[in-house]
Amino acid sequence: MLFSTELQNRIVELTGAKPLCWESLTWPEIQSLRDKGETMCLLPLGATEQHGPHLPVNTDTVFATACCAYASAKMQTLVLPAIAYGCSLGHTDQWPGTISLFPETLIASIREVATFLIRTGFTKLLIVNSHWGNTSSLRCAIDRIRFDNAGRFSIGLKNSFEFTRSIWGQFIDDGEDFHANRAETALMMYLDPAAVRLDKIVDDPDRTAGKVFTYVVPQTSTNGLTGHPTRATAEDGKKLFIEMGEALSALVKSARTEQPPIEWYAK
Amino acid sequence: MLFSTELQNRIVELTGAKPLCWESLTWPEIQSLRDKGETMCLLPLGATEQHGPHLPVNTDTVFATACCAYASAKMQTLVLPAIAYGCSLGHTDQWPGTISLFPETLIASIREVATFLIRTGFTKLLIVNSHWGNTSSLRCAIDRIRFDNAGRFSIGLKNSFEFTRSIWGQFIDDGEDFHANRAETALMMYLDPAAVRLDKIVDDPDRTAGKVFTYVVPQTSTNGLTGHPTRATAEDGKKLFIEMGEALSALVKSARTEQPPIEWYAK
Amino acid sequence: MLFSTELQNRIVELTGAKPLCWESLTWPEIQSLRDKGETMCLLPLGATEQHGPHLPVNTDTVFATACCAYASAKMQTLVLPAIAYGCSLGHTDQWPGTISLFPETLIASIREVATFLIRTGFTKLLIVNSHWGNTSSLRCAIDRIRFDNAGRFSIGLKNSFEFTRSIWGQFIDDGEDFHANRAETALMMYLDPAAVRLDKIVDDPDRTAGKVFTYVVPQTSTNGLTGHPTRATAEDGKKLFIEMGEALSALVKSARTEQPPIEWYAK
Amino acid sequence: MLFSTELQNRIVELTGAKPLCWESLTWPEIQSLRDKGETMCLLPLGATEQHGPHLPVNTDTVFATACCAYASAKMQTLVLPAIAYGCSLGHTDQWPGTISLFPETLIASIREVATFLIRTGFTKLLIVNSHWGNTSSLRCAIDRIRFDNAGRFSIGLKNSFEFTRSIWGQFIDDGEDFHANRAETALMMYLDPAAVRLDKIVDDPDRTAGKVFTYVVPQTSTNGLTGHPTRATAEDGKKLFIEMGEALSALVKSARTEQPPIEWYAK
Amino acid sequence: MLFSTELQNRIVELTGAKPLCWESLTWPEIQSLRDKGETMCLLPLGATEQHGPHLPVNTDTVFATACCAYASAKMQTLVLPAIAYGCSLGHTDQWPGTISLFPETLIASIREVATFLIRTGFTKLLIVNSHWGNTSSLRCAIDRIRFDNAGRFSIGLKNSFEFTRSIWGQFIDDGEDFHANRAETALMMYLDPAAVRLDKIVDDPDRTAGKVFTYVVPQTSTNGLTGHPTRATAEDGKKLFIEMGEALSALVKSARTEQPPIEWYAK
Amino acid sequence: MLFSTELQNRIVELTGAKPLCWESLTWPEIQSLRDKGETMCLLPLGATEQHGPHLPVNTDTVFATACCAYASAKMQTLVLPAIAYGCSLGHTDQWPGTISLFPETLIASIREVATFLIRTGFTKLLIVNSHWGNTSSLRCAIDRIRFDNAGRFSIGLKNSFEFTRSIWGQFIDDGEDFHANRAETALMMYLDPAAVRLDKIVDDPDRTAGKVFTYVVPQTSTNGLTGHPTRATAEDGKKLFIEMGEALSALVKSARTEQPPIEWYAK
């Protein structure tokens, strides 16, 4: 149920395996995995947010979910149900489709999800986030979770658009500020071709260069997007997605055995 | 992306149409629907919660999503992304798999989702909930949303297990208190056959009859379920699901044109 | 001080005893009761809320208090001071007299009252609620209290209008949605005759049948009430009150010795 | 229903009238009073809190209620239902009987009560508080209410033990720090003679003189009281109560016509 | 960095020593002081708030800081960084310069500062407050901190304008309600002469005498001040400051060895 | 009073002017500046946080304050009182000296400061932050402030360690993760030479390279610092500080006339 059968098939093609979805398991199965040492989870963070005239409002959720599915399939690591409502206040209420939580609510949600994982015996959580606007709320939540549980629970945040420098470079190659740009459009062309309104693709320049203050999107974009989606190709999208999936898989591999540099426990 | 292609195909078979998913639309498409008067949405509420040894932890989310998909397909009404983390405190941390928000966080989430709908021009929201434990938080949220917006925004809550008396009767025919029981198991046998661990189905009786206090699940169930799932059949599940889908479709039909009995506006 | 001497006399007549009011005891007396095993309390929940043109705004508080007084007198169980401000957002600010808390504040109040009971050695709390609008907030509070204290503290909620099916039947015999209706008016005619403005009694029909959304009272009632109070008699009120008092007494009797079906403790 | 018939009779004897209780009125009656200009209310604030071995835990609520009843009867001003759970954290959980809210919850409660008064057309609220521990929470609430509503809503706080310097002098004549002391015991001997356990009255000295830090009661009292209740007489209690009732009546008289020194309105 | 070199020099002249500022120490130095038994801190509370046409908006912060500096220098007690944003809602937004927190935020800030002190091994905190408007928030915070930590952490609040009766007498000798009055102006003439706009000093009378309700400053003052600053002299300011510094030093001396009257520990 | 006379003298030497401190002005002066168009403020954000064995706990506050002082002096822009307690949860309670707020409290503080600025007629706020741990809380606050006030209030955040790429390069030239490292030590050697315990300077390597999870400082550092402070010189510190001061001055210059790329107003 995590994602469409088509996408699942694509993941199987690419990785040779199916993702290991928390939501599709029973409690004895989850308990059994835990007892065998699979005490790490991935949590995909998306958004419900306008993505310009050519991409659907679930674009970020697709990215987070698909990356986690890839890594989960490849590494057989657990992936939790995605959070589809994030913090998109920066997009305001200018363009219908955006639905945003306030930061305090996203912080609380993450803390409570982590709390249940901790209470039920899990020890590592890697948040995989595909929406820039979630980042500060996620970091606030992490800050508190670490403070309360350091040494007993490891938590991290990786933004899918910056898993590696190479990936980051591809995301910003049409402008420092981006939204529904070349890279995002290319990814969607590969991951969910039917979702891309090819006839609606137009570009909108990055207007934030050199600005001191930080503006909401209707102050910087005429149509909700920033970047050059007209340059996108499905081929680039496939290549970028595989790079992202491999990068996350490598992170998962490291994370599984990672220990804190110094042993220390929160009170 | 809302649900598996298989389920989508089943919905198409049953209703002859595809659901109208908010998440798969672009902002101009959502705006256009809104401007043509499609100002109502369905919001599916599920849970990530143990459902005994034979059902996956996403069971409630499947129910809410599938009912909304059916009604959305049939009535071409908008369905929002599901909320997969609900309030499952009653299940405690006894059985891994459950991940619960606290009530205040679920209340805030619902209020914020509604706020964005209101701000972007939507006027009706029907919450379709499949998890009993969410009900009180949802009602608290609704109470406040109505207080602030009555006359400008209509909001309602329908629990999928009690769309009609007939449906309710089928849910409780193996006990007043139920969880992963005959009806729920039958529904999953039809909606997601691979998800049901047939070899793990056992019954656990309702131990709450005549109790004055309200107990958490580990105080009332030995394995996380309550009821007689051994009596479930996929055939019953299909029949019940269609009844639920039709019931919700009828509610949507009424809701579209429903006006408050008396015209009145919140300050 | 809990209620008028007249009502107290009536309770004495009906039950042959006086209620055992927490508020009228000293701490050594409460401690002594506790040490003898009287570790259960009743908490009456009312409201300050318009009740149409003929009933006072304390109607719900009278009901909760009087039922608790009856059961306390009969069973010599402790009854806490009533909470007179509940959640009445549904009544809005249309009719002066209503004073409402927001759900979050009622939830916090209940959690804090329970916390003090737990910290001072009490182990059972039965909330006796006479206002429908409080129910969801109370359930949210209970959900959290149980989660934190299951196995060490038992908590329950009984709405006075549905102590039994027979009582519920009498409350809704003039309409599914009710407020200041036949049953409530009859009860007040018996419990506080001077409080009923006989010359102001008019009926107002239930306008909610078949509605999908949930409306605030000014959207469903012209004068704040719903039902047929003109059909009320003091005689019916007396009969109904005794039935309610006896029903609560029976609940108290059960509650005193009730054990959770399965022994289990929250972490 | 606000207080016992005996106390009501005593108020009638002393003032020649009955108090005007919000709770006993219907909404059209409250509306009518409002429309005639009775836009002020008294809000009695008490506590549920140990008061030593000889006084009941509702002592402060009795004081606040009785003072308001006196002034309401004499001046025919509206008195709201008392809040019986205050902030008694200073008494801790050492002596059963105390039930305390946290300050944030009391602040929210007061803000919400005031909000409903404002929304329903009332313009003045005088909080009559008889529990020292409530004071700071009440002032926080007032601070915010004034900030949001200055010029449209007048709000004030009067502690019953310091209505006048003379009254204050009588409260502290057996020690600067007091609880269940001579004055409080004398008042209860008059207001509710049966409530005073005469055989349990003992003194406990003020141990706080010269202390820099502020301590909880179990750090300053051996039995929960501070002062010399053995010096109390009912006669002194009657005299003091009349002085308090008259003082509050005089405050109400002034308050009715009081205008802010300078006309100014909050944004 | 705590205050200007000039003020520091003045403190040195008056006390013969430099203050012991937490902020200027390294963690091993703070740890070493703690381990030698210096487990008490002073926390200066100021405000950023209009002080009439002749005093700067940091007036209260200067007072709190300077008093703490004096006592710290004289007694070699630790003084924490001042909190410069307090609760000034009573001053409203009428006069630019005021920046206020809401009470809940100040309460939370104080609780969190205390929490860190407790967690890092400190056992006594004396809050030195120079702004009346902070008092109720500070007391709310203290109430909770004591409740959670009594017996393990001592906390107190001293308002600088009422360290002693003599000091209080000097603050109110030009009116019961005061702000930027004779005493405050005199103190600033001594502590920061350049900060006093001598040519702007005018008087504004106390208009609150006999008022029942409590008003915001724009309702009681024409220019933001209350009192007779024209009567101020630097000489009086110096004398008053020394008296305040000595009074706080005496409090610190007592506090260092102070024990609770009765030994008792919070759960 | 903002900072020591010595530092003030240094600022005067470097810039030829004194900073324009909000705290040292009266309300008519602030009003007058505002009315002349000086509607922008700088808000310095520091921390009270362990900085290894050789730097004082106010290090970050010194940096934020000094940078703002430089730019304020040079550009005659208003600088608000610094916030000295930030979010330092990552440093935990391992090393005494650290005092941290929780993220929610810092978010609320910033929102309330901004609210008062907005209400009193200011239109631009630039937060100058010198502590990495504050960043996510600050961004959450900004997100909400923009959402509520876009088009009427411009807000931005600049971390002093990344005013420019060149500055960032100097901060990380001894390791990606840094705290009390070469650059910070050099800055303190110049800004407050007496504050640097030269005999305590030791290095501690960055242990975070390649880590997937994010750890608290006691899990990554043996003594609270990360980097190579032994390489620091006062000369480098002076050069870096001037570069930072100039960079911030340039930002202020731009900010003064900066307009949003597109004109748009929040509802």
Side-chain angles (χ1 to χ4, degrees), chain B residues 3 14 17 19 22 27-28 35 43 53 59-60 62 69 75 82 87 106 110-111 118 193 195 231-232 244 254:
Chain B
F3 34 73
L14 295 172
W22 179 282
W27 75 254
D35 292 347
L43 175 62
T59 296
D60 290 339
V62 171
M75 305 300 300
C87 188
L106 184 54
I110 297 298
R111 286 183 57 195
I118 294 167
R231 300 177 194 164
M244 292 166 76
S254 296

Side-chain angles (χ1 to χ4, degrees), chain E residues 55 182 235:
Chain E
L55 292 182
R182 190 199 63 79
E235 202 173 349

